[in-house]
Amino acid sequence: MATVINDYKKEFVVKRLPQTFFGGMKLKLGYDAPIYVYINQVLIFILPFVIGGIFTLLVEFDAIAYDIASYIYGSIIFLFVLLEQLFSSFNARNSNNVRRLNNVFTEEDEIEFDSCFGSETIDFVLPVKKFKINIIIHSLLSGPLCGIGLWYLLPSTLESLYHNVGATVVLFMFGWFTICVAQYSLTVTSPPEIAIFRSTDPYELQPLMRPLYVYIFLAFHVVQWYDDSYLLVNQILHVVFIFLPLLWSLAVLPPLDALLLWLMEQCLSILGGSPVAGDLRLILLFLASSLIFIIIFFTTSVTGTTIHAAYTGYILSLDHASLANKIISAIKKPNSTNQITSSKTPLGFGWDWGVKEVIFHIVMLSISVINIFLAYLNVNSWSFNNADSVVGDPDLIKALGYVIIGLTVLVKMFGSFQSVYTVFGMWRNNLYPHSIFQMEKYSKAKSRLNILALLRRIILDFIAPVIMVQFLGLSFMASSASHTFILALGIVRALRWVWQGTFNSMVEISIVHIINQTFVPTSGSWYDLGLGPQLLLVGLIWNRSNSTIDKIYCYLTVLISSHTYEKQRPKHSTLIIALSAIFFPFILLVIYVAAFLSAPLLPLFTLPIILIGFPRPIRSWPGEVGGSANTCQDTVYYSQLSAKLTSALKSSCNSGSLGNLTAGSHFLARFQDRIIWLQVLECGFGFCYLSIKGMELQETSCHTEEAAKIDDMFERSFEKEGGFPFCFFNEDFFHVLTPVDAIPVDTYSSAKTVLTGLIDSPDTLRSIGKNFWKSLTWVLLQHIAHRGQKPVSRTTSPSHVKGIDRGSVNSRTVLVDVNGKMSQNNDEKDSGRATGEVSRPVTASSHKSRKSLASSWGSLNSWNDDDSLDNVAFEKSGNKIPLSNISSVKKEPVTTIPGVVDSALDDDLDDFLKDFATGLPPVDTGDFFDTFSGAPIGSIKLAGSIQFSSPHSSKLSLPLKWRDIPLDSHQISNLLCDFPKDWYRHVIEHLDLSSGVPSASVVDEIMSDEALTSIYVQLISAIFSVVNVLGLSGVDFVSRGPMHVFKVFSGDIPWSLSLDWLSQDEELFNLVIKAYRFAVKMSFDEVVYGEASDNDEVREYLEEYKTECYMGLEDDAGWAEAVLQEKPKLFSMGCDTSSHPPIFTSHILTRQPVMISIGRLNGEIVRALWASLAMELFYCTNDDEERYSIQAHPSILRNLTVQAADPPLGYPIFYSKPVNIPTL
């Protein structure tokens, strides 16, 4: 078993516990400190008692009046605290700024003290306040605290309360100890508290916690002094007062922020509301509810109270947060972020406030008000006909009560039929589908259940509320009870609870009606309460009873599983069980008190040793919901899933398969490697707020063990070969998780495969190379054909020549006449030159230049990346094809010849470019095509210029920068014959050009254009050479094995001298990597589905990859973007280099309907583990990763529950904002 707490932390906790109990005195420093350090602290601690004892003697001997003594004593304490804090601030300001460095190997709190009143001693005993204003505030609070405390603990005061000397002595001594403990927080600083709600105290509120509780007790004493009706309360509080240090040390009393939020939440629940999803909303809703109640209370008649409570109750039960957000977003100017968010909001009734929703709520509000008025008219009519009585028609009220009881039973039955287990989660429901993976059977069985779900929804949302409003209206307005505070509170709560918690309201009315009709006569204290207070009392008892049962279940589960789970069995588990049996009545008392306070249990270090956790809001954590998470690259999967899951959960919430949703409910959803934690934050009429947390996908051993248990439970519950027998019981009834439902969600199904035996196969590697020719050809042609239809990423390569004035070339129109003007001389048609263009003679070196592909077209890159000089006449000169002797553009009208564009360059620019030998790669019209096809393909004489023979070729012309290939012809000569010409033709046949898919004649013209074909052959061969040949040091890429494939797939092309040409052009580089990834994926698919039989099948593969797939690495930004854009498929590769040999894997995400299993968690166990976690980390700072409390526990899912806690204690990788699910 793992260590509960290590030795270092044990010593740390042992030092902290006395500080907590004594209010902050550090009586154990962990090393030998001078005695005066302890004496100084003790003197400051007992000073209020010493001075108070003197004034107590003076008062008891009648030397001074008690009130004067209180004033003087309070003033002395005020001055003392003020002066000592000013002295501490003065000392800190005047002490040396450079402090003595302690040995880093000594205790962390070790200080070298110089003298009794040295600066180090003063700074240690009287630390400076964080905010200077607190010097005044704490001084002002200290005076009344001690002054009234003197009066509170006077022997004469205690004697008047108890008339017992022994009680007086005990209360006097221990009472002053409580005063000293509370005062020490104000005099010095706050002690380390076990009851910590927030990780930090930014406003220095912690020192006010203990004095505040003392002030509460003193306030009741002052009230009792003027009103003797509070005598009993004052007597009880005096006894409790002496136990305050113990309650503070046991973390029973909450800190101020938790106390205020808890009180508002409890008051809101008593007023008929629900715990809410945020602190600000809680405050606003509490203030609104309280104000409305006060207004209604001063409506002196019961009838008026009922009418006002009817419509205000409906209004307060609605989703105000969504309405407020809608109004704010309508006022603010919409931005792109809001538009993106709103586009992901599910469509349909109830998801957002719109015209339909407003009309619906107006209609329902009108029905509620009309219903109350009908009840009012009914009561008045019946009373008029029966003047001897003021009570309404008992038969009608009784009939409505029995109708409500019947509807309650139907709603419970219909809801239970929707879940996989019924009868408190014990018996497998035979109406539920016997298999969730056979979609036909699942859908058929669910369709039958949906009929019952629809009936349940109609009853719960429409029929039952109307009947209950009528029942309550008749009962309230026909009652003869006088208008009181408790009666008004009961009426307001009942008429709001009808809408806020409809099913719970039905249960409460049913219980009260049964009691009134069966067990209680028409007179007595119960009957005199009236229906409203009766419902309030029953509601509180019902709520606390359910909480008590859950807490007993929580304790027994932790106790029994700590012994039965051998791997994590404590050393003294048998002794703990024996002691638990002996002290079980005391344990029950602890559970009852925790349930009464609506506080979680606190199992110390998750052991079966329980305390009462301090009361806190039901959602357990402070701060904003979804404010932070431990995000990583897996977070994106939960981001995509959350919206889809929210939409799918609507049917489960409405059908009742998740049970009765209340704030504080917890659910766990599971599919494949993902675990989703759902927490219900708020419920009301027509809405439910919940938060979604995503657990980490990189599973640890503890995570895996608990996840395996969850999978086993869901598999046994939802899937059984041959179906489930009629009597099939839940084998894990005492588990914290109870399976409830499974729903289809459109999200990503993940498949991870080890590629060993596939990627290292020579056949597969050769297939990748073969498919790379095809995919690269297809990708480039598709990109060129569609480049004008959508924006493309442009990259500007630096100029080859330093000092070129790019400002002299403003636009392409300066250089090239886009209308393609040329001479009217038809004899010039075949030459492709503009009229007047003079060809330079071919030199002897021009023949040699045919063997070279090197050129320097990059200097023209700034003209236009999407254009080319295919239609500009050039002439060979030397080893390059320079832009020389280009004539001026003729200004007179000329005839346009398809495929040829005249050019216009100034003579000086022409000479400038000539000096740098800028031109196109040479095209060997003889040798090249002989090599390519094995036979001459006809003669094409470019003579320094590229002339397209087809008018359609210009649409497929390559950008200039792509033709600047820094390779010699011999480097790709062996690859030219591998170019798939038949595939090239097939791709062209199916290109969607601007005029549509080309006809056969157009394809023939393009294919006959040897100039176009040649530049594609050269470019693709050069790219293939750079990727698979040049960087491999003469080794065949098949022989290099799978590592080469993985590196290129990852964008890491082997280095060669020619790699810069490819990598510096971002657009071309991305297209090459994209094509290579297509080739890898197609080769894998061919292994699985069979080799492509023809070009059509290859084209289908590639088109599917382009439109439906994203391929890349999981840590790429594009991968996350593709997931959020919900691409149908994603493919990536991975490599584990820590293994020898490396293990290659593939990861495929496929978006499809996936069955997600959902289970309901015991909320009390979750809250108990979270309370233990907060105590252990905040107070004990026991953050050991191998500690006992974080180890796997399959019965209570301890490790997963710790992960699901809010940061910084928990570490979910995804945490959503409050999500609204409509329940109408």
Side-chain angles (χ1 to χ4, degrees), residues 578-590:
L579 293 176
S580 299
I582 295 173
F583 293 101
F584 190 71
F586 175 75
I587 293 172
L588 280 181
L589 178 63
V590 171

Side-chain angles (χ1 to χ4, degrees), residues 274-278 281 285 312-327 345 349-354 357-358 360-361 496 499-500 681-690 1218-1224:
S274 164
V276 297
R281 175 163 163 74
L285 200 55
T312 56
Y314 181 85
I315 294 174
L316 289 174
S317 67
L318 300 181
D319 181 14
H320 312 100
S322 294
L323 180 60
N325 291 335
K326 184 74 174 181
I327 296 174
T345 303
F349 181 79
W351 288 102
D352 197 5
W353 281 87
E357 287 77 10
V358 172
F360 170 79
H361 288 299
R496 179 176 177 180
W499 306 102
Q500 190 87 45
L681 303 172
E682 180 182 358
C683 291
F685 182 67
F687 73 95
C688 172
Y689 275 99
L690 52 83
V1219 177
N1220 178 24
I1221 298 179
T1223 57
L1224 291 175

Side-chain angles (χ1 to χ4, degrees), residues 64-301:
I64 189 174
Y66 74 89
D67 51 349
I68 297 176
S70 297
Y71 291 137
I72 297 175
Y73 175 57
S75 301
I76 292 174
I77 296 299
F78 163 75
L79 291 175
F80 169 73
V81 175
L82 179 63
L83 293 176
E84 60 90 7
Q85 279 299 321
L86 291 176
F87 175 69
S88 175
S89 299
F90 178 80
N91 173 75
R93 181 180 302 176
N94 290 277
S95 61
N96 294 329
N97 294 327
V98 180
R99 295 185 177 273
R100 196 174 304 162
L101 293 177
N102 297 328
N103 189 344
V104 295
F105 298 104
T106 59
E107 296 290 337
E108 61 181 15
D109 58 355
E110 183 170 343
I111 300 174
E112 295 183 8
F113 299 100
D114 296 329
S115 62
C116 182
F117 298 102
S119 61
E120 294 287 349
T121 305
I122 296 174
D123 187 51
F124 179 80
V125 176
L126 297 174
V128 180
K129 302 290 184 182
K130 183 185 299 184
F131 300 104
K132 301 303 180 184
I133 188 64
N134 283 335
I135 297 177
I136 305 298
I137 295 176
H138 293 179
S139 301
L140 292 174
L141 291 175
S142 298
L145 177 70
C146 293
I148 303 176
L150 173 67
W151 174 32
Y152 189 79
L153 296 175
L154 283 173
S156 57
T157 302
L158 299 176
E159 182 66 24
S160 65
L161 289 174
Y162 300 100
H163 306 287
N164 185 287
V165 176
T168 300
V169 172
V170 171
L171 292 176
F172 178 80
M173 296 302 297
F174 287 99
W176 270 107
F177 178 76
T178 301
I179 292 289
C180 291
V181 169
Q183 178 57 41
Y184 197 83
S185 298
L186 297 174
T187 305
V188 182
T189 186
S190 62
E193 297 286 1
I194 300 178
I196 301 178
F197 190 52
R198 299 180 187 272
S199 58
T200 59
D201 184 22
Y203 304 108
E204 203 173 13
L205 297 177
Q206 199 66 28
L208 304 179
M209 170 187 165
R210 298 190 177 192
L212 174 68
Y213 284 105
V214 173
Y215 268 112
I216 293 174
F217 284 77
L218 299 180
F220 274 96
H221 178 69
V222 174
V223 171
Q224 185 268 326
W225 186 261
Y226 297 99
D227 188 354
D228 286 337
S229 62
Y230 290 93
L231 177 61
L232 179 60
V233 176
N234 195 20
Q235 290 175 336
I236 296 174
L237 291 180
H238 267 78
V239 175
V240 177
F241 185 78
I242 65 175
F243 292 101
L244 282 180
L246 182 62
L247 296 178
W248 289 325
S249 300
L250 295 177
V252 176
L253 299 178
L256 295 184
D257 49 355
L259 175 65
L260 294 177
L261 295 176
W262 173 78
L263 284 175
M264 286 188 288
E265 190 174 89
Q266 295 303 309
C267 292
L268 190 60
S269 299
I270 292 175
L271 291 171
S274 164
V276 297
D279 296 342
L280 178 60
R281 175 163 163 74
L282 173 62
I283 296 172
L284 294 177
L285 200 55
F286 167 74
L287 294 176
S289 301
S290 302
L291 180 61
I292 290 175
F293 170 72
I294 293 173
I295 295 174
I296 292 177
F297 171 69
F298 285 104
T299 304
T300 55
S301 67

